[in-house]
């Protein structure tokens, strides 16, 4: 089967999470059947962690893939797969988080998620016609405390084995930690060799929060991304010297930072390559070179907004302190 074993990281809840996850956000989403067969290929290649969200529309396909993988004997049961999901910003409110999780569980066909993450520290009007297109007027005040208390409730009910956040800056995270009874287990942020997040990672390390990377390859070939990672000459040189490709070097870099990475490829061969990062190591010299990769955030959020919207405040909304 050629399946690779992905190491786990131990979260502050005592649960283990595979350090490499299959990202499932997809433009021009294919049918659930098609997606499920792609996800079964991923399980066959060794992936045991699927990163989803309400807004991705891929939860049903993941649920279907888990059932198919069990039927094929690739896994013994649901417990062999680590599933992450997130409520969308239209549900980022104390009274809407639990119903959002219940809706996700229904789509996934499971009784719990392994990890439930607040997708953004942003709240939108609940009744938006298109939840991903909004204007400044649709952005409501985000209640850090109320939203987190609802997440803690999901955890206490056993519907989410671990809970966490995405895309918080240090200021918002500090406020959250002041009111949290249960601290976040995971903080998922944009992170890769071209956006290394040193300050935020150091802060999370001090607080016992695991940092997980989305856009681990710089969103290459995606309209908002760039070649900042995949075309970087420093990474290309290291890859050539190691007999690996740039994606493998970038993912290995994330792993050696003590972080996990969400990576997406629906191509069978690249799926296998992306998981094949545990048989080599980056030296201190390599890591020092990677520190000199030019730093720039890729995802600015302007693609969320309608042409009438004002997006220059979005970064301020997310973190306000980077």
């Amino acid at each position: 089967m050629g399946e690779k074993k992905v190491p786990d990281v131990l979260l502050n809840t005592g649960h283990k999470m595979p350090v490499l996850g299959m990202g499932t956000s997809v433009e021009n989403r294919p049918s659930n059947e098609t997606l499920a067969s792609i996800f079964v290929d991923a399980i066959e290649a060794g992936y045991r962690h699927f990163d989803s969200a309400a807004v991705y529309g891929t939860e049903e396909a993941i649920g279907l893939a888990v059932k198919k993988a069990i039927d094929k004997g690739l896994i013994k049961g649901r417990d062999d797969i680590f599933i992450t999901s997130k409520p969308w910003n239209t549900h980022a409110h104390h009274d809407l988080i639990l119903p959002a999780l219940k809706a996700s569980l229904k789509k996934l066909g499971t009784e719990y998620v392994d990890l439930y993450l607040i997708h953004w520290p942003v709240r939108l009007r609940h009744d938006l016609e298109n939840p991903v297109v909004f204007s400044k007027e649709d952005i409501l005040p985000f209640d850090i405390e109320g939203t987190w208390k609802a997440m803690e409730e999901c955890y206490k009910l056993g519907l989410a084995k671990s809970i966490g956040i995405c895309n918080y800056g240090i200021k918002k995270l500090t406020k959250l930690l002041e009111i949290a009874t249960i601290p976040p287990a995971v903080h998922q942020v944009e992170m890769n060799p071209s956006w290394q997040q040193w300050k935020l990672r150091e802060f999370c390390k001090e607080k016992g929060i695991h940092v997980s990377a989305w856009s681990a390859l710089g969103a290459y070939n995606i309209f908002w991304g760039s070649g900042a990672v995949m075309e970087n000459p420093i990474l290309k040189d290291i890859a050539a010297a190691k007999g690996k490709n740039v994606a493998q070097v970038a993912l290995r870099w994330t792993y050696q930072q003590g972080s996990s990475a969400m990576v997406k490829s629906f191509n069978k061969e690249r799926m296998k390559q992306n998981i094949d990062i545990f048989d080599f190591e980056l030296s201190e010299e390599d890591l020092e070179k990677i520190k000199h990769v030019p730093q720039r955030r890729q995802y600015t959020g302007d693609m969320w907004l309608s042409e009438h919207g004002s997006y220059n405040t979005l970064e301020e909304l997310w973190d306000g302190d980077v």
Side-chain angles (χ1 to χ4, degrees):
M1 208 162 32
E3 177 196 304
K4 301 277 175 186
K5 175 76 179 103
V6 176
D8 292 322
V9 62
L10 187 65
L11 302 178
N12 63 19
T13 50
H15 292 289
K16 288 177 178 177
M17 178 177 91
V19 297
L20 207 59
M22 168 65 71
T24 67
S25 165
V26 57
E27 294 163 53
N28 307 317
R29 193 170 67 245
S31 71
N32 283 338
E33 274 295 334
T34 304
L35 267 178
S37 68
I38 291 166
F39 297 155
V40 170
D41 288 343
I43 292 169
E44 203 153 5
Y47 290 84
R48 293 294 180 271
H49 180 174
F50 287 89
D51 181 70
S52 190
V55 78
Y56 299 168
T58 53
E59 291 167 321
E60 284 176 53
I62 291 168
L64 197 55
V66 171
K67 288 187 181 76
K68 284 176 185 277
I70 293 167
D71 290 344
K72 285 182 83 169
L74 297 173
I75 53 173
K76 290 194 179 82
R78 154 72 181 96
D79 291 358
D80 289 346
I81 299 291
F82 189 102
I83 298 174
T84 298
S85 198
K86 317 168 192 90
W88 185 233
N89 305 339
T90 47
H91 288 72
H93 178 267
H94 179 273
D95 300 341
L96 300 174
I97 293 273
L98 183 56
L101 174 53
K102 286 180 174 172
S104 286
L105 292 175
K106 196 173 178 185
K107 285 178 181 168
L108 287 160
T110 182
E111 290 173 8
Y112 66 91
V113 288
D114 297 275
L115 180 62
Y116 202 47
L117 302 172
I118 294 175
H119 207 150
W120 295 93
V122 174
R123 184 183 165 206
L124 295 176
R125 267 183 37 228
H126 183 51
D127 57 352
L128 282 180
E129 201 170 318
N130 181 341
V132 294
V133 178
F134 56 91
S135 67
K136 197 175 175 181
E137 288 66 45
D138 297 321
I139 301 170
L140 302 174
F142 180 72
D143 175 9
I144 289 177
E145 183 171 4
T147 310
W148 188 249
K149 290 298 169 196
M151 294 292 283
E152 291 184 337
E153 189 59 26
C154 296
Y155 174 80
K156 287 172 189 165
L157 290 168
L159 301 177
K161 291 198 171 181
S162 298
I163 51 173
I165 54 175
C166 306
N167 310 307
Y168 278 53
I170 291 171
K171 282 180 189 171
K172 280 193 164 67
L173 181 47
T174 302
K175 280 182 191 166
L176 187 153
L177 290 170
E178 282 166 7
I179 58 90
T181 313
I182 302 155
V186 172
H187 189 186
Q188 195 185 102
V189 292
E190 180 182 345
M191 175 188 160
N192 55 57
S194 73
W195 189 243
Q196 295 182 14
Q197 296 272 24
W198 287 103
K199 203 170 120 189
L200 183 65
R201 284 197 283 128
E202 197 51 49
F203 182 82
C204 288
K205 194 177 178 181
E206 283 168 24
K207 306 294 180 189
I209 300 167
H210 174 77
V211 174
S212 191
W214 60 264
S215 189
L217 302 178
Y220 194 51
N221 289 337
I222 294 176
F223 71 98
W224 55 265
S226 80
V229 174
M230 297 295 282
E231 291 167 12
N232 181 271
I234 295 170
L235 299 176
K236 280 184 169 179
D237 286 350
I238 294 170
K242 299 277 179 201
K244 290 286 182 178
N245 62 35
V246 173
Q248 289 167 327
V249 169
L251 293 168
R252 179 72 203 188
W253 173 84
T254 302
Y255 175 59
Q256 284 187 224
Q257 302 310 302
S259 295
S260 53
M262 302 304 116
V263 63
K264 182 184 72 188
S265 177
F266 291 172
N267 172 293
K268 252 186 182 184
E269 206 43 52
R270 282 199 294 273
M271 260 183 209
K272 288 174 186 166
Q273 289 168 1
N274 289 342
I275 213 168
D276 192 15
I277 63 164
F278 304 108
D279 62 348
F280 77 104
E281 206 162 322
L282 298 172
S283 66
E284 284 304 318
E285 192 187 344
D286 295 330
L287 296 172
E288 199 50 47
K289 284 178 186 169
I290 293 171
K291 282 181 183 172
H292 294 99
V293 171
Q295 296 297 293
R296 185 168 75 93
R297 184 201 286 273
Q298 295 295 328
Y299 193 89
T300 56
D302 54 342
M303 72 291 302
W304 280 4
L305 295 166
S306 67
E307 58 194 284
H308 310 296
S310 165
Y311 59 77
N312 59 350
T313 60
L314 270 187
E315 278 207 317
E316 193 183 317
L317 274 168
W318 297 343
D319 25 88
D321 54 76
V322 168

